Amino acid sequence: MAPQQTGSRKRKAPAIEAGAASSSFQGLAAADAEGPLLPKKQKRPATRRSLVHYLKGREVGAWGGSGLSGSEGELRGYAVQKLPELLRERELALGTLNKVFASQWLNARQVVCGTKCNTLFVVDVHSGQITRIPLMRDRGPWLARAQPTCGIHAIELNPSKTLLATGGENPNSLAVYQLPTLDPVCLGDRHGHKDWIFTIAWMSDTVAVSGSRDGTVALWRMDPDMFSGSIAWHNDAGLPVYAHIRPRDMETIPRSSTSPSNRKVRALAFSGKNQELGAVSLDGYFHLWKARSTLSRLLSIRLPYCRENVCLTYCDELSLYAVGSQSHVSFLDPRQRQQNIRPLCSREGGTGVRSLSFYQHIITVGTGHGSLLFYDIRAQKFLEERASASPDSSPGPSGKKLKLTCGRGWLNHDDLWVNYFGGIGEFPNALYTHCYNWPEMKLFVAGGPLPSGLHGNYAGLWS
């Protein structure tokens, strides 16, 4: 099932993986010419306000899960805070697949993943069995053919978990499959993106948005007739038949004055509560659109940390966006001109934040150095390891940051590994993706080596 190895033999210094973004940023514009913009950088107030004080002035709802009773919400909040220190790793063998960039749970035992070698597969976390999913092909010749090794960077399930959106055989195209069968539904290849799709977000069960390296955001609408059984699924040759669709709306990221060519859309996050779409571009900006049948841009904000902003997540309970960069996670509330939640610093070997997720008040951080960190946004500090308890006392915080270090995975010992990395026996894996199965208290984590030329993978089930 595994694809052919494609070891690189280029005689130049290896770059950071494209999936993790480039770090060659020059001076950036303080503001965009269009739309309402916020000040270049907010100064931290002399008297630091606590998050509790900050939230008292806003109507964001309870800290517990939506709809939970007080006791049940408190119990779940306690479990969320205690789970990370109880997790133990079991590595999953992925053969010679190259770098897992995206993942999502399909059910209690199956995770769907996308790789740099453009492989879409499902792994059974109990048995370790891997099943490859055929990719959809564009109609006609590829007018904007992507590089064959750029891979699948995004996988997202719609709210009802009946559709899955990801990349096609041409990574510039949006592919939609029906769940749980993974039958092909439609391919967004007509008048769509001209470069790799880096990110996808669902606005509803039938509307998805994709962000591309070409600096555009595209809105796609799936006709319910496509997956209601009203079309033939197979032609006379026994091959799958699927619709070819075009975007309903396309918006271009505004250019910054000093970095006009680096407005690649790296990450998207949708706020169902506010019906707004957040986006991060590699020129160091956060953009916000009002999302209805079309996209209407509200504002663009210069990010406080501009290097390698490659991941974005949103917390409904707090109405906050979190942006991961080379060394920090920044928190943004577009409704507040002054951001009262200070950024958290995550200096793990200078390799950056590669994946982020929110659950209640805990944010999970996957780094480029093979580690997972956990930050309590309510307390504004990282979770700490528990100190060893004496027989007469219960364990308390040790003052040491809780960090889960992932296993070695698999690394191809090719010429580039020998010539440029001196045959280093162990190389930390960038954790490009992680996803929780909260009902069963499980965490799937995956990635691969950070330098773009190195070929390898890592996948693990933490439970």
Side-chain angles (χ1 to χ4, degrees):
M1 289 184 179
Q4 296 291 327
Q5 299 179 17
T6 55
S8 173
R9 297 175 181 268
K10 293 183 179 179
R11 299 294 178 182
K12 61 180 182 179
I16 295 298
E17 181 57 57
S22 167
S23 62
S24 57
F25 290 87
Q26 304 299 323
L28 292 172
D32 189 83
E34 303 176 60
L37 297 180
L38 300 189
K40 180 191 293 186
K41 189 173 181 179
Q42 306 296 344
K43 294 183 178 179
R44 187 176 296 171
T47 303
R48 186 177 298 155
R49 298 173 63 195
S50 71
L51 181 60
V52 174
H53 186 210
Y54 164 56
L55 292 176
K56 281 182 179 177
R58 304 176 48 215
E59 296 178 1
V60 296
W63 281 101
S66 177
L68 295 176
S69 66
S71 58
E72 187 178 352
E74 289 178 10
L75 183 62
R76 181 169 294 186
Y78 180 81
V80 168
Q81 186 148 358
K82 298 301 178 185
L83 175 66
E85 62 185 294
L86 303 176
L87 293 173
R88 297 295 180 266
E89 179 195 41
R90 178 168 63 87
E91 281 199 54
L92 301 170
L94 301 183
T96 59
L97 292 170
N98 190 20
K99 300 183 185 177
V100 180
F101 282 155
S103 64
Q104 290 288 334
W105 287 90
L106 291 179
N107 50 53
R109 62 182 295 166
Q110 291 182 312
V111 179
V112 59
C113 302
T115 72
K116 182 183 179 183
C117 53
N118 224 37
T119 301
L120 183 67
F121 69 93
V122 174
V123 57
D124 186 313
V125 297
H126 292 180
S127 67
Q129 179 181 352
I130 292 175
T131 305
R132 291 183 60 166
I133 308 302
L135 298 178
M136 298 187 215
R137 295 184 177 181
D138 287 2
R139 173 182 290 175
W142 290 352
L143 300 178
R145 181 183 291 267
Q147 298 177 22
T149 58
C150 69
I152 295 171
H153 290 265
I155 297 174
E156 292 294 334
L157 276 60
N158 69 348
S160 66
K161 301 188 185 306
T162 55
L163 296 176
L164 178 150
T166 183
E169 185 175 281
N170 174 5
N172 302 352
S173 300
L174 179 82
V176 179
Y177 295 83
Q178 189 166 17
L179 295 177
T181 60
L182 284 167
D183 285 327
V185 174
C186 59
L187 185 69
D189 57 346
R190 303 182 64 187
H191 307 284
H193 297 297
K194 301 299 187 288
D195 208 337
W196 316 344
I197 290 177
F198 264 151
T199 177
I200 299 166
W202 285 93
M203 291 169 47
S204 70
D205 269 345
T206 57
V207 177
V209 180
S210 55
S212 168
R213 228 171 72 122
D214 65 6
T216 63
V217 176
L219 185 148
W220 310 84
R221 186 179 299 277
M222 271 50 75
D223 187 335
D225 288 342
M226 295 176 186
F227 43 89
S228 64
S230 61
I231 62 172
W233 284 107
H234 297 83
N235 60 19
D236 293 338
L239 299 175
V241 174
Y242 41 85
H244 294 260
I245 62 174
R246 63 182 65 194
R248 294 296 182 94
D249 186 25
M250 286 195 77
E251 297 294 328
T252 301
I253 293 290
R255 297 176 184 269
S256 61
S257 61
T258 57
S259 187
S261 62
N262 199 24
R263 53 180 178 172
K264 304 176 178 72
V265 182
R266 191 57 186 84
L268 297 171
F270 179 66
S271 164
K273 179 191 296 185
N274 299 319
Q275 291 294 295
E276 293 172 351
L277 181 76
V280 169
S281 55
L282 289 184
D283 57 359
Y285 278 85
F286 171 84
H287 310 273
L288 191 71
W289 282 272
K290 196 67 180 178
R292 295 189 180 94
S293 56
T294 60
L295 299 174
S296 174
R297 192 168 65 92
L298 298 174
L299 53 81
S300 295
I301 304 171
R302 172 79 180 275
L303 292 166
Y305 300 96
C306 300
R307 297 175 67 86
E308 298 184 25
N309 291 292
V310 298
C311 47
L312 175 71
T313 188
Y314 181 76
C315 178
D316 268 312
E317 288 89 346
L318 308 177
S319 297
L320 283 177
Y321 292 91
V323 182
S325 69
Q326 188 180 60
S327 57
H328 289 79
V329 177
S330 304
F331 300 101
L332 300 171
D333 180 351
R335 297 174 300 167
Q336 301 290 319
R337 290 190 64 84
Q338 183 156 323
Q339 304 302 319
N340 294 285
I341 303 177
R342 65 182 184 273
L344 67 91
C345 182
S346 173
R347 297 189 182 278
E348 292 289 307
T351 53
V353 176
R354 301 296 159 183
S355 56
L356 285 175
S357 69
F358 258 120
Y359 191 80
Q360 293 195 7
H361 56 281
I362 301 296
I363 186 166
T364 303
V365 181
T367 75
H369 206 67
S371 60
L372 288 166
L373 305 172
F374 306 89
Y375 189 79
D376 185 340
I377 192 170
R378 185 167 56 185
Q380 295 200 63
K381 66 178 184 179
F382 286 99
L383 297 189
E384 297 178 355
E385 292 181 359
R386 293 284 165 176
S388 298
S390 67
D392 300 325
S393 64
S394 59
S398 65
K400 185 178 180 181
K401 187 188 300 180
L402 175 64
K403 179 168 69 173
L404 303 183
T405 301
C406 292
R408 295 173 60 180
W410 172 79
L411 181 64
N412 186 15
H413 294 171
D414 56 10
D415 288 347
L416 186 138
W417 171 74
V418 172
N419 295 336
Y420 292 106
F421 295 93
I424 298 173
E426 293 189 27
F427 206 95
N429 291 293
L431 305 183
Y432 293 117
T433 179
H434 68 263
C435 52
Y436 281 94
N437 173 359
W438 278 106
E440 298 200 357
M441 300 296 189
K442 294 178 181 177
L443 172 63
F444 178 82
V445 186
L450 190 61
S452 62
L454 288 182
H455 184 116
N457 66 63
Y458 164 81
L461 178 68
W462 291 79
S463 61

